[in-house]
Amino acid sequence: MTTHTELQTIRDFIRYATSRFNESGLYYGHGTDNAWDEAVALVLHTLHLPHDMNPHILDAHLIATEQSQILGLIQQRIEKRIPVPYLTHEAWFAGLPFYVDERVLVPRSPIAELIENQFQPWVSSEQVHTILDLCTGSGCIAIACAQAFPEAHIDASDISPEALAVAKINVLRHRLEHQVQLHQSDLFLALPKQQYDIIVSNPPYVSAAEMFELPPEYKHEPRLGLSSGEVGLDITLRILEQAHDYLTPHGILIVEVGNSEEALIELLPDFPFTWIDFQRGGGGVFLLTAQQLKKCKVT
């Protein structure tokens, strides 16, 4: 049993957590991809320290209450397989911090890179006045869009009132309540009838087979935000059926489908999907223009 006297500095606790995480065979996929980054995120957040702090602080000694708190969180991460963002209630997306808990998925979409680049070269930023974020969850995509397009109006919808409660926390945290409007809606069903320059969505896209095989860490996330029918495309197909009516003539639709990319291509071989390459990794995100959607039909 590890005691407080054996671990004293911040460096000690990061090293210890890394060793324990590696020993326990944890799965990483909620903001980090390795034990070291997971340990750093947990320890520094618990101590209210920034990641870009002076490295000499790593040799600072911790008081007993800090030691106990960190050891308790390490134990929860290992025994209950709870992702670190749910333990710290913080996740980062597009360079911004977000409150998260088990009512929403942990933000991790490669769409963040598109937002940071203002969706160029597919749109001109000065022509973007309205944006719709479908299946908003924590509100991270909508809020990041608001930061990237400060003059644009953003609508964000989700079917889950629990998710929208979290999104509201984040909208207020970033002081964007006058720019970002939240709507409880099953996709377009309860939305105001208007057109958007950009519709962006990270909907549920996990197939039935994948749901069965998910690592324990994903069992803490809401099933409603993951599962989307037998092949993972139920929600995406509904978006494709209706999106054109909500896009301006020069508008674009961007949707993440993750590992269901091949199934979508096979199901809709005549759709001229543009599959986006990301410099920071990730994939399974397609783009269609309003003009392309006008000519395509979901069969």
Side-chain angles (χ1 to χ4, degrees), residues 209-229:
E210 285 180 312
M211 285 295 298
F212 183 76
E213 298 172 354
L214 285 176
E217 280 81 355
Y218 289 92
K219 302 301 172 64
H220 293 277
E221 295 192 293
R223 184 181 181 89
L224 185 65
L226 293 169
S227 179
S228 190

Side-chain angles (χ1 to χ4, degrees), residues 72-136:
L73 291 175
I74 292 171
Q75 204 65 19
Q76 285 191 69
R77 178 67 184 94
I78 292 169
E79 292 182 356
K80 298 181 180 179
R81 298 298 173 102
I82 301 173
V84 163
Y86 287 153
L87 295 173
T88 62
H89 295 303
E90 183 172 81
W92 287 77
F93 181 82
L96 301 169
F98 292 91
Y99 172 86
V100 293
D101 60 32
E102 295 185 17
R103 292 175 289 180
V104 296
L105 299 187
V106 175
R108 53 184 176 269
S109 172
I111 290 173
E113 188 176 314
L114 289 178
I115 299 170
E116 291 169 357
N117 294 327
Q118 295 183 304
F119 297 100
Q120 294 180 9
W122 294 283
V123 296
S124 177
S125 58
E126 61 269 14
Q127 293 183 334
V128 176
H129 307 291
T130 52
I131 300 173
L132 171 62
D133 173 22
L134 289 173
C135 309
T136 194

Side-chain angles (χ1 to χ4, degrees), residues 9 31 81 104 118 184 196 211 236 243 251-252 266 283:
T9 68
R81 298 298 173 102
V104 296
Q118 295 183 304
Q184 184 178 355
Y196 299 89
M211 285 295 298
T236 298
I252 60 170
E266 184 177 340

Side-chain angles (χ1 to χ4, degrees), residues 6-17:
E6 292 175 293
L7 301 173
Q8 298 182 358
T9 68
I10 298 172
R11 193 186 305 273
D12 289 341
F13 278 87
I14 293 174
R15 196 284 307 159
Y16 174 73

Side-chain angles (χ1 to χ4, degrees), residues 34-64:
N34 62 83
W36 175 263
D37 288 344
E38 191 96 337
V40 169
L42 186 150
V43 172
L44 294 190
H45 184 276
T46 304
L47 297 174
H48 307 285
L49 291 172
H51 284 248
D52 58 353
M53 66 183 183
N54 187 316
H56 289 103
I57 299 178
L58 290 172
D59 294 315
H61 286 227
L62 305 187
I63 62 175

Side-chain angles (χ1 to χ4, degrees), residues 3 19 238:
T3 65
S19 296
R238 289 178 56 203

